[in-house]
Amino acid sequence: MARLRAPDGCPWDREQTFDSIKRHTLEETYEVFDAIERHAWPDLKDELGDLLLQVLFYAQMASEAGYFTIQDVAENLNTKLIRRHPHIFADAEATDSNAVLRNWEKIKQTEKKGSASTQTSMLDDIPRSMPAVMEAGKLGSRAAKVGFDWPNPDGLFDKLHEEIGELKAELDPALAASSMTAIEAELGDILFTVVNLARHLRVDPESALRATNAKFRRRFAAMESAAGNSAALAASTPEQLEILWNQAKNASTEPTRS
C-alpha cells in the first residue's frame, strides 16, 4: 500500500481519501457475508483479503497524515482483547457466554468514563450511519442493559399486534386522510418491534431477511421457468400467478415454509 500510494505509485490509489474509500468497505463487508452464507470457503478467503485491504488502505492514509500506523492499530487491538478478557488473562471469572458479555459491557463503560468522549447518552456511540436493521438491534440491546426491555417474547408479540393495529388505523378509509409521515412512523414502529423480537429469539434479523430474500429469488425464478419466460409471467392473471407461486413453494426443498 505504501508503494501504491507513493508519488510514483498508482494514480487511482493516490487519489483516494477516507471518504472515497468507505463505500468500498461496505461493499467488501457484504461480499464477505455472501461468501459465508454460501459456505463458499475459497471465495471467503478472497473476500477476507479484500476486506483486509480496506484496513491497510485506511492505515496507510492515516500514517501519511501522521494520525497512526498499522502497528498502532494492531497493538491497540491486542491491548483491548487482553483488557476485555480478564477471565482469560487475569483472575476474573466467567463461567458462560452471558457472564463474558456482562464483563465486556462493564469494561467498555469503564473505558468510556476514562476517555475524553463528549457523549451524553449511552446510545451516542451507536453509529447512525449503520444499516437501520442493525442500528435498531443495537439500540434495543443497549437499552436492555438497564432493564428497559420486554421480559420475554410474549410481550413483543402483543406489541407487534398493537403496532399493526395503529398502522391499520392510519390507513382506515373512513377517517381523514393520513399523512405519509404518520404512515411511515407507524411502519417504522412495526419494523423496530420485529427487530427486537428477533433479538429475544436470538435470531440475527439481517441474516433472517437475507435468507428470505434468497428464498424469494429461488421461488420467483421457478415461477418464471414454469410460465415460460418473464413476459409470459407478466401476462398472467393474479389467479395464475397464485397457482405458479404455490407450485414453486410446494416444489421447494426448504424445511421452513411461509
Side-chain angles (χ1 to χ4, degrees), residues 94-150:
T95 56
D96 55 38
S97 59
N98 287 330
V100 171
L101 292 176
R102 285 194 297 271
N103 286 344
W104 184 281
E105 193 60 32
K106 289 178 182 177
I107 294 168
K108 282 181 64 177
Q109 294 302 321
T110 301
E111 291 170 353
K112 290 172 186 175
K113 290 177 182 178
S115 72
S117 173
T118 58
Q119 73 176 54
T120 58
S121 168
M122 62 185 294
L123 304 179
D124 285 351
D125 65 336
I126 298 176
R128 291 171 171 81
S129 58
M130 65 172 46
V133 169
M134 186 182 297
E135 181 187 8
K138 286 189 173 294
L139 290 172
S141 180
R142 186 66 59 82
K145 303 293 185 185
V146 297
F148 187 66
D149 195 14
W150 289 267

Side-chain angles (χ1 to χ4, degrees), residues 10-254:
C10 172
W12 186 88
D13 288 288
R14 291 179 57 205
E15 290 174 0
Q16 301 315 302
T17 66
F18 289 100
D19 287 326
S20 69
I21 285 295
K22 62 185 181 183
R23 69 180 180 87
H24 297 291
T25 307
L26 188 58
E27 291 171 5
E28 298 297 354
T29 301
Y30 279 116
E31 289 179 7
V32 167
F33 285 5
D34 179 64
I36 293 173
E37 289 172 352
R38 291 185 290 109
H39 292 184
W41 310 129
D43 290 351
L44 178 60
K45 177 184 66 176
D46 291 339
E47 298 303 345
L48 287 174
D50 292 342
L51 187 58
L52 177 58
L53 174 61
Q54 302 300 303
V55 176
L56 297 173
F57 215 134
Y58 290 124
Q60 178 59 32
M61 289 188 291
S63 177
E64 294 164 4
Y67 300 149
F68 54 81
T69 68
I70 188 65
Q71 287 82 7
D72 295 328
V73 173
E75 289 173 4
N76 184 69
L77 175 58
N78 190 54
T79 301
K80 182 186 294 184
L81 286 174
I82 293 173
R83 184 173 65 247
R84 293 189 179 180
H85 290 82
H87 55 292
I88 301 297
F89 300 105
D91 56 0
E93 292 187 4
T95 56
D96 55 38
S97 59
N98 287 330
V100 171
L101 292 176
R102 285 194 297 271
N103 286 344
W104 184 281
E105 193 60 32
K106 289 178 182 177
I107 294 168
K108 282 181 64 177
Q109 294 302 321
T110 301
E111 291 170 353
K112 290 172 186 175
K113 290 177 182 178
S115 72
S117 173
T118 58
Q119 73 176 54
T120 58
S121 168
M122 62 185 294
L123 304 179
D124 285 351
D125 65 336
I126 298 176
R128 291 171 171 81
S129 58
M130 65 172 46
V133 169
M134 186 182 297
E135 181 187 8
K138 286 189 173 294
L139 290 172
S141 180
R142 186 66 59 82
K145 303 293 185 185
V146 297
F148 187 66
D149 195 14
W150 289 267
N152 55 60
D154 291 340
L156 276 157
F157 281 113
D158 293 339
K159 183 64 174 176
L160 183 57
H161 287 302
E162 175 189 325
E163 297 295 355
I164 292 173
E166 292 178 4
L167 176 58
K168 286 182 176 179
E170 292 292 343
L171 300 174
D172 189 344
L175 302 177
S178 297
S179 69
M180 284 305 300
T181 300
I183 293 172
E184 182 181 275
E186 296 300 344
L187 185 58
D189 290 345
I190 291 174
L191 294 173
F192 189 84
T193 303
V194 168
V195 171
N196 279 281
L197 176 59
R199 176 172 56 83
H200 271 263
L201 298 177
R202 298 184 182 276
V203 171
D204 174 39
E206 179 71 16
S207 295
L209 184 55
R210 285 174 64 85
T212 294
N213 290 343
K215 179 172 62 179
F216 183 85
R217 285 176 183 270
R218 291 191 298 270
R219 291 180 178 177
F220 193 82
M223 290 174 64
E224 290 178 303
S225 178
N229 53 50
S230 56
L233 191 66
S236 301
T237 65
E239 292 76 15
Q240 291 171 326
L241 291 173
E242 182 66 19
I243 291 172
L244 289 170
W245 176 256
N246 286 326
Q247 288 176 344
K249 285 179 62 177
N250 292 333
S252 172
T253 57
E254 293 132 359

